[in-house]
Amino acid sequence: MILLTPGPTPVPEDIRVAMSGKTLHHRTPEFEAIFAETRTLLKKIYNMDDCIMLASTGTGAMEACVINLCHKKALTINSGKFGERFGKICKAFDIPYTELKYEWDTPADVEQVIKEIKNDSSIDAIFIQVCESAGGLRHPVEEIAKEVKAINKDITIVCDAITALGVEKIDTTNIDALISGSQKAFMLPPALAMIGLSNSAIEKLSLSPKGYYFNLLSELKKQRENTTAYTAATTLIIGLKAILEKMDSIGFDNVYAETKKRALATREALLELGLTIYPKTPALSMTTIATDDANTIRKILKTKYSVNMAGGQDHLNGKIFRINHMGLVEDYETSWAINSIEMALYELNKRVYDGSGVRTYTLNKFLKN
Ligand SMILES: *Cc1c(COP(=O)(O)O)cnc(C)c1O
């Protein structure tokens, strides 16, 4: 089965092998050296002042950022399940918040965000996805961060980049916290989360430390000494070091360029097949197609062609399907998926089969500049 869901992504064989060593104790010079090297690589991909690794899924890091970086009131952006989650976390901790809600194909409106922070001076943190995976859209986070900081530099900008870091270069100039997770673009098993932090976020952490397990200040202090407050996720950190070394040896910018070409070529190929791209501002991490045949197409792909793609959740169940571009996806995998979609459309009497999908993918991926 070709796993082409936008998380989890398949773990490459060399990374699985790297994680297959004997158990290391986490309080040893041997593991601390691995931890130090991983931190260095992580800082390189993050391009931020510091970073933290947490033994948790991405949602744990979202929770950690909400409780540690919002001291008064949050502004949350909800264009889908993951944006909605920030609001649910605020609610769970009785943190006041305002939510700007959009349809799942619609990115945040910069003007509206600005209006909100101008009207409500109690807002001290904004929570937004870089890519909202529910519909595969890209929010204008850099623009929002820049404009908000120009008005009030003390508003903390927290971005969930779980399906963006490792996919594309993110301008972190005005971003205070950038969340990522192991099972998406880093092609690792789930349950390791990472947070990049700006110096101003670190200052804010120090003002009023919060939480116990997710106390980011005490965690950061330990991690600066190349250890962790609690037992480190040793195996996953060894995996993270291996994948970051691999991406670094390819060149992070080359990985981003390749992902972009793959995403754009896929988009062209599926448009050529007569399909419709769902989000108004598609992200590069996945291609989301809007079609009422979504579940039938996914079923044909799974049972006849051994391709596992993701569907939609909630009101988009049966209305969309999503193809992953994160990680080191091979061109034959994406071509196979596109060809399978064309075959499925033919089976459903939606179009003829003439190989247009793969031809368009190949043309756009390899022949055009
Ligand atoms: C996958 C994902 C998460 C985190 O999910 P976990 O299941 O907690 O790892 C958060 N935000 C986005 C945008 C995601 O795609």
Side-chain angles (χ1 to χ4, degrees):
M1 184 76 77
I2 298 180
L3 182 59
L4 275 180
T5 54
T9 54
V11 185
E13 189 176 1
D14 52 339
I15 307 302
R16 279 184 271 134
V17 169
M19 291 187 292
S20 67
K22 286 184 182 167
T23 306
L24 283 183
H25 195 287
H26 55 292
R27 310 277 182 217
T28 54
E30 195 183 0
F31 182 71
E32 283 167 17
I34 293 171
F35 195 89
E37 285 171 50
T38 312
R39 254 174 78 71
T40 305
L41 286 159
L42 205 52
K43 278 191 193 166
K44 187 167 176 183
I45 191 171
Y46 260 110
N47 193 26
M48 292 180 78
D49 296 317
D50 217 321
C51 59
I52 294 180
M53 290 170 254
L54 294 171
S56 118
T57 73
T59 306
M62 292 168 74
E63 178 170 322
C65 286
V66 170
I67 62 175
N68 284 274
L69 292 171
C70 179
H71 294 170
K72 287 191 261 170
K73 185 173 181 181
L75 176 64
T76 66
I77 309 299
N78 173 359
S79 290
K81 270 227 122 30
F82 295 103
E84 178 188 50
R85 190 168 296 177
F86 275 128
K88 287 184 169 176
I89 295 169
C90 291
K91 209 170 187 173
F93 287 94
D94 285 326
I95 295 169
Y97 71 101
T98 298
E99 178 181 79
L100 290 179
K101 197 170 177 182
Y102 302 92
E103 191 36 67
W104 290 16
D105 62 350
T106 308
D109 178 35
V110 184
E111 296 298 308
Q112 213 176 351
V113 173
I114 298 305
K115 206 172 124 201
E116 208 56 54
I117 61 151
K118 280 184 173 167
N119 287 345
D120 188 348
S121 60
S122 58
I123 292 169
D124 73 327
I126 297 178
F127 297 87
I128 186 171
Q129 274 59 40
V130 177
C131 163
E132 169 54 76
S133 317
L137 73 78
R138 178 66 157 83
H139 278 301
V141 291
E142 293 91 343
E143 200 184 337
I144 288 174
K146 191 175 171 202
E147 297 211 13
V148 168
K149 291 288 185 187
I151 295 165
N152 182 353
K153 65 171 179 39
D154 293 331
I155 296 178
T156 307
I157 312 284
V158 179
C159 294
D160 164 2
I162 294 177
T163 48
L165 189 70
V167 169
E168 54 170 310
K169 194 163 189 88
I170 301 163
D171 178 3
T172 53
T173 313
N174 296 297
I175 295 174
D176 295 299
L178 196 75
I179 301 165
S180 66
S182 53
Q183 81 275 26
K184 311 274 171 85
F186 294 106
M187 294 168 283
L188 294 171
L192 186 69
M194 290 79 79
I195 307 173
L197 293 166
S198 71
N199 282 333
S200 90
I202 295 166
E203 269 172 43
K204 193 168 179 180
L205 292 180
S206 318
L207 290 178
S208 101
K210 292 271 165 54
Y212 185 78
Y213 183 72
F214 286 136
N215 182 321
L216 294 181
L217 184 67
S218 56
E219 198 59 62
L220 182 65
K221 279 184 183 161
K222 290 285 182 190
Q223 298 203 9
R224 282 177 166 170
E225 292 162 8
N226 297 317
T227 187
T228 47
Y230 311 103
T231 307
T234 46
T235 307
L236 289 168
I237 291 169
I238 289 166
L240 181 61
K241 175 173 169 278
I243 192 71
L244 287 172
E245 279 168 349
K246 185 169 176 162
M247 290 168 82
D248 192 30
S249 73
I250 298 168
F252 291 118
D253 286 337
N254 293 332
V255 173
Y256 303 151
E258 188 67 11
T259 306
K260 184 174 183 178
K261 270 201 275 176
R262 194 164 57 239
L264 297 183
T266 302
R267 235 181 260 170
E268 288 305 316
L270 297 179
L271 286 171
E272 180 66 30
L273 295 182
L275 293 167
T276 307
I277 305 294
Y278 174 70
K280 291 175 185 152
T281 52
L284 296 169
S285 54
M286 67 193 79
T287 297
T288 305
I289 295 297
T291 164
D292 287 338
D293 295 316
N295 285 352
T296 320
I297 292 172
R298 282 177 59 226
K299 191 169 175 201
I300 294 173
L301 259 63
K302 214 177 220 174
T303 53
K304 288 189 85 169
Y305 304 112
S306 290
V307 181
N308 187 359
M309 295 183 319
Q313 292 166 290
D314 296 359
H315 65 294
L316 291 186
N317 183 8
K319 305 286 183 199
I320 59 164
F321 65 82
R322 295 172 293 156
I323 308 170
N324 172 57
H325 303 305
M326 291 177 283
L328 306 171
V329 184
E330 300 288 347
D331 282 305
Y332 73 82
E333 296 177 303
T334 306
S335 306
W336 175 272
I338 290 168
N339 195 50
S340 305
I341 293 167
E342 187 172 347
M343 298 283 270
L345 292 172
Y346 169 68
E347 274 180 57
L348 295 170
N349 286 319
K350 298 288 178 188
R351 55 165 285 124
V352 296
Y353 177 84
D354 61 5
S356 293
V358 169
R359 189 171 60 244
T360 309
Y361 179 77
T362 308
L363 187 69
N364 282 275
K365 179 70 171 47
F366 299 101
L367 304 178
K368 283 190 185 171
N369 283 324

